Amino acid sequence: MTAAVAKSHDPAPIQACAVSRDLWDFSLLAEDMEAVLGDAWCDLTFEEAGRFLRHARPRSVDYVVLALDSADETDAVLAQAASVVSAAKAQGVRVLLVAENLRPASLHGLLRAGADDFVPYPLPEGALREALARLDPAPAETAAPAAAIPGFVLPGTGLQMAALSHPVMSQRNAAVIAVHGMAGGVGATTFAVNLAWELANPEQKRKQVQTPPRVCLIDLDLQFGAIATYLDLPRRELIFELLSDTARMDAESFGQALMTYRDRLHVLTGPADMLPLDFLGTEDVLRLLDQARAQFDYVIIDMPQAVVAWTEAILNQVQGYYALVEMEMRSAQNSLRMIRALQAENLPVEKLHFVLNRAPKFTDFAGRGRVKRLAENLGIALEVQLCNGGAGVTSANDQAEVLAKAAPRAPLRREIQKLARAIAAQSRAVVG
């Protein structure tokens, strides 16, 4: 755009470059660039940007604003864009992505290549100015004391943001519990949700005045996570932003990504769109756990059914890894495979705690005999046996409520409540 190019008779230092296949496809971005930077910017194609950044050594350039849309999602264009990002980072130039209808995997690849931040297109009013301000290191250095305040939340983020109710307690070191269904439909998510709620709402005697523990429930099933559905919580784009660049995550950004259920349970829902399970790496998961453990007393993780590269990291970090099974062949075979896989990699199999869901009634002697044979054949102990919740569980899930609210007298709820008390007592004993 000629209006954006510096005048030849009075050259102005170029502070930013807008890079795209065709900037006419991002007319609103051009208007925002001119409003924020005046004449101190230029627009370049991918090829021009690559040559400019590699050979011109632009000392005055602070930002590269890389704009892409769905038409750019070819291997060749994405490779060019990644090359521009790498060239910019090599020169110490900060990179902002402006994305319109870009697939999560493509956006993630560019963030992995080194891009610092991204905003959606069309840009909301003032979004470009705010994004460039976030990338400017000078304000960040002067604002460091305020930003370091635990639990600091920007105004206008909504009442459901988890960090509003409590400051971050940096001295916390949460007990981490993972829940993994050994087959589809065994009730792992129902178990994780209700266990987290019971840990967050312990029974207290009338004379006791205690601060309830802080509990964080994390949905790491990036493809079919259902915790948001079970608790009627919105799936927000902020989750994808957090997971896309965990290296930049801090206590504030993690807290703002959380939602609260009934002002007691803090929840990191799954992303709005289906993501590949390798979207997260081991380091990403460990950063998430570090933030959660620093701010909460208990962290409950709902795992994907598949075993992924970062399953080992979770297994090594948790105090208990609850594997849910049922009295059927899929659960038995998958449990045996899981045990063999952990043993082959010399991983801590002893952290696996098998939970039998929909267990036979106490008076069903034939059924209890089958349970005993199952445990003997697998060489495991079915440490927890949960009754069949039946219609009560279905009704609670349909109402997007925990059992404590939808069916407080349900036998299944009492059994999960009993397990939560045992976990809390064990945690207190370890701390003590």
Side-chain angles (χ1 to χ4, degrees):
M1 293 180 61
T2 57
V5 180
K7 298 177 182 179
S8 59
H9 66 277
D10 186 18
I14 299 300
Q15 187 179 0
C17 301
V19 181
S20 64
R21 172 179 36 82
D22 186 350
L23 196 61
W24 286 109
D25 293 337
F26 299 90
S27 57
L28 295 178
L29 172 61
E31 294 177 7
D32 285 347
M33 293 286 289
E34 192 162 346
V36 175
L37 298 166
D39 290 337
W41 71 283
C42 65
D43 69 271
L44 302 170
T45 64
F46 295 116
E47 296 84 356
E48 292 169 342
R51 292 194 297 270
F52 177 71
L53 291 167
R54 288 190 179 87
H55 305 299
R57 298 189 179 276
R59 298 184 182 277
S60 66
V61 174
D62 295 322
Y63 313 102
V64 165
V65 180
L66 187 61
L68 301 100
D69 59 17
S70 56
D72 297 312
E73 289 198 286
T74 65
D75 291 342
V77 175
L78 290 175
Q80 283 183 318
S83 178
V84 170
V85 173
S86 299
K89 300 308 292 183
Q91 295 283 0
V93 178
R94 294 174 289 282
V95 179
L96 174 67
L97 296 178
V98 176
E100 181 181 20
N101 298 325
L102 209 62
R103 287 184 297 121
S106 301
L107 187 57
H108 179 252
L110 293 171
L111 290 169
R112 287 290 191 193
D116 297 287
D117 201 354
F118 82 93
V119 291
Y121 184 86
L123 285 79
E125 184 177 356
L128 180 64
R129 188 183 300 275
E130 294 174 2
L132 295 181
R134 287 198 302 270
L135 299 184
D136 189 354
E141 292 172 4
T142 59
I149 297 175
F152 176 75
V153 178
L154 295 176
T157 53
L159 292 178
Q160 284 190 310
M161 299 302 174
L164 288 177
S165 56
H166 298 281
V168 176
M169 302 298 290
S170 60
Q171 72 270 21
R172 295 177 187 268
N173 187 18
V176 183
I177 297 168
V179 178
H180 191 145
M182 290 292 102
V186 297
T189 299
T190 297
F191 175 76
V193 166
N194 285 280
L195 178 62
W197 176 261
E198 298 300 342
L199 285 170
N201 296 271
E203 287 185 323
Q204 296 187 11
K205 297 179 181 179
R206 292 183 179 179
K207 294 183 179 180
Q208 288 179 328
V209 180
Q210 296 180 352
T211 302
R214 283 169 52 81
V215 179
C216 181
L217 176 61
I218 299 178
D219 192 343
L220 283 186
D221 189 342
L222 305 182
Q223 296 183 334
F224 301 109
I227 286 178
T229 303
Y230 278 35
L231 298 178
D232 194 24
L233 297 174
R235 298 174 184 264
R236 300 180 298 154
E237 290 298 331
L238 188 59
I239 303 298
F240 174 74
E241 296 178 25
L242 182 79
L243 300 181
S244 296
D245 191 8
T246 60
R248 292 168 55 87
M249 177 177 57
D250 55 16
E252 178 185 338
S253 59
F254 179 78
Q256 290 182 5
L258 299 177
M259 306 292 291
T260 55
Y261 174 76
R262 289 184 172 269
D263 297 323
R264 288 295 309 119
L265 180 61
H266 300 72
V267 184
L268 185 69
T269 67
D273 298 316
M274 182 184 295
L275 302 178
L277 291 177
D278 61 357
F279 186 82
L280 291 178
T282 298
E283 291 298 322
D284 298 315
V285 171
L286 291 177
R287 292 187 190 109
L288 277 174
L289 285 184
D290 286 343
Q291 290 294 336
R293 292 177 69 173
Q295 302 181 33
F296 294 92
D297 299 300
Y298 299 98
V299 177
I300 311 298
I301 303 172
D302 191 16
M303 298 287 290
Q305 185 181 334
V307 174
V308 290
W310 39 267
T311 301
E312 177 181 350
I314 296 288
L315 187 64
N316 287 326
Q317 291 289 318
V318 299
Q319 282 66 52
Y321 197 102
Y322 287 84
L324 266 80
V325 299
E326 284 191 28
M327 280 294 300
E328 41 94 26
M329 190 59 67
R330 297 178 309 147
S331 294
Q333 290 180 341
N334 292 346
S335 297
L336 190 57
R337 291 168 180 161
M338 183 75 162
I339 293 170
R340 288 174 175 171
L342 298 185
Q343 290 174 337
E345 297 295 330
N346 198 27
L347 295 175
V349 183
E350 65 277 3
K351 287 189 177 182
L352 288 180
H353 302 283
F354 286 92
V355 178
L356 178 63
N357 197 15
R358 305 183 181 98
K361 295 181 180 179
F362 183 76
T363 55
D364 184 357
F365 297 107
R368 299 192 74 81
R370 292 196 301 273
V371 170
K372 183 179 180 180
R373 289 194 295 275
L374 172 66
E376 291 174 349
N377 290 335
L378 295 178
I380 62 174
L382 294 170
E383 303 173 28
V384 181
Q385 297 188 28
L386 304 176
C387 66
N388 191 340
V393 173
T394 303
S395 176
N397 292 340
D398 288 344
Q399 298 174 43
E401 289 279 18
V402 292
L403 286 171
K405 299 298 180 181
R409 298 181 181 274
L412 177 60
R413 188 255 169 155
R414 292 199 296 268
E415 292 176 2
I416 295 177
Q417 194 176 35
K418 180 180 179 181
L419 175 61
R421 287 198 298 267
I423 292 173
Q426 184 180 23
S427 180
R428 287 194 298 270
V430 171
V431 173

